Amino acid sequence: MANSKEPLLDEIQWKAPPLAMSMGGITTNTVLPYFYESPFFDATSNNATITTQATHNPALFYLIQTREAFEDRLRTMQGLEFMVAHDPSDNGTKIEHSGVWVIRKQNRRKRPGAEDEITPISSYYVVGENIYMASSLGNILGARLLTMVSSLSKVIETAAALPSFTPALGHTYLPPAPKTGNLAMNTQMSQTSKESTPMPGTQESASSKPSSQTLLDEDLQSTQLIHSSLNLSLRYGSEYMDENPLVGEPGSFIITKSREVPQPANQPKTKPNPVSTKSPTPQIKTDIPEPKSKSSMGTEKSPITPIIKEKKARRKSRPATSVTTPK
């Protein structure tokens, strides 16, 4: 079982300068033997099998002398192999080149009557004395996406604290800088009012300049207030408490009168009668009323209330005293 603490092969760089010097440098015939000493090489491949056979069998020793003879022998076999996919020296014909070789790890499968089926597994770069493993396309895309997401998250966190909204300035991303004229005026006023300036350490000097936290709280309250006002306007802007809305300005509101009297929905609307333009002719009364007699006036019912006479209280008489005469 491989140790989980070991780094991945596509994250390491391998080199062996003493070995490269003993081979006479990295050339088209020594690039594969130099690659065999790296941790990227697989000992179960056909390359290891041919190298072992040529080392112990003098009849096959020519196979490890040149890369062309070695790769021709690999093409006759089936299984895992390492082949040079790019040779910058063009088989040793170019003296000056980039010095970058590309070695491909692949699986060869023989098919009778057809070309061999080759399945690439991974690629490796030999740059001078350094050997790297090429990352897969999935790893590259995953790393790039992770970098993009990390950068975007940092940008969003930084930009989240920048925007600010106030009813006077609207949306701003930087604090407003003081104007030059206002700054000069404030400087002149401060110079002329030195006598009324409180001494350091007093309560007036401490409370004259508001703190940054207080300004931040005021901006936050203003932002919340305008946000709630906008929500209420969008939600209840077309609704009224009654049918007669208020008009006018604050301090002088007027209740409007409804022009039309609401009618029930079931009752059909009646059209108003057209007004005649001709004026009516006046009528003259010729009958003279007869005078009414007093007897007939008594018989007619009238709403006159009867007069009730109040009874006078009678005085009680005193009993008479008998007068006796002497005999």
Side-chain angles (χ1 to χ4, degrees), residues 241-283:
M241 296 299 294
D242 52 8
E243 295 180 356
N244 300 331
L246 296 177
V247 295
E249 299 177 354
S252 60
F253 287 113
I254 302 174
I255 300 177
T256 59
K257 298 181 180 181
S258 56
R259 299 180 179 179
E260 297 181 359
V261 179
Q263 297 181 357
N266 299 330
Q267 183 178 356
K269 295 183 179 180
T270 58
K271 296 183 179 180
N273 295 328
V275 180
S276 60
T277 58
K278 297 180 180 180
S279 59
T281 56
Q283 297 180 0

Side-chain angles (χ1 to χ4, degrees), residues 219-229:
D219 293 343
L220 182 59
Q221 292 177 1
S222 301
T223 305
Q224 293 177 352
L225 179 60
I226 193 66
H227 185 265
S228 60
S229 302

Side-chain angles (χ1 to χ4, degrees), residues 113-225:
E115 295 182 356
D116 299 342
E117 181 182 357
I118 298 175
T119 305
I121 299 176
S122 59
S123 298
Y124 306 89
Y125 299 96
V126 182
V127 183
E129 297 175 353
N130 302 319
I131 301 179
Y132 308 90
M133 179 180 179
S135 301
S136 61
L137 181 60
N139 293 339
I140 294 175
L141 293 178
R144 295 295 177 86
L145 290 175
L146 181 60
T147 304
M148 292 171 58
V149 171
S150 301
S151 301
L152 287 175
S153 61
K154 292 180 181 178
V155 170
I156 291 173
E157 290 178 0
T158 306
L162 293 180
S164 176
F165 179 82
T166 56
L169 301 178
H171 289 280
T172 56
Y173 294 90
L174 294 175
K179 296 182 180 180
T180 308
N182 296 340
L183 183 60
M185 186 181 297
N186 294 337
T187 305
Q188 184 177 3
M189 292 177 62
S190 62
Q191 291 177 357
T192 56
S193 60
K194 288 182 179 180
E195 297 180 358
S196 60
T197 304
M199 295 297 294
T202 60
Q203 184 178 2
E204 294 182 358
S205 62
S207 61
S208 61
K209 185 177 180 180
S211 61
S212 59
Q213 184 66 27
T214 305
L215 297 177
L216 183 60
D217 293 342
E218 291 179 357
D219 293 343
L220 182 59
Q221 292 177 1
S222 301
T223 305
Q224 293 177 352
L225 179 60

Side-chain angles (χ1 to χ4, degrees), residues 14-93:
W14 184 86
K15 63 179 180 178
L19 180 61
M21 293 179 61
S22 64
M23 292 181 178
I26 306 300
T27 62
T28 183
N29 294 324
T30 60
V31 63
L32 283 177
Y34 181 74
F35 181 79
Y36 297 161
E37 303 298 328
S38 67
F40 306 106
F41 182 67
D42 192 350
T44 62
S45 62
N46 293 336
N47 300 61
T49 303
I50 295 175
T51 303
T52 303
Q53 292 176 357
T55 303
H56 296 86
N57 188 357
L60 301 176
F61 187 74
Y62 71 96
L63 296 177
I64 59 176
Q65 295 298 317
T66 60
R67 183 176 63 85
E68 185 177 358
F70 189 86
E71 290 181 350
D72 290 341
R73 185 58 181 267
L74 282 176
R75 293 186 181 93
T76 61
M77 303 175 65
Q78 177 176 285
L80 184 65
E81 62 185 13
F82 291 88
M83 297 281 288
V84 177
H86 174 70
D87 185 2
S89 65
D90 198 7
N91 290 331
T93 58

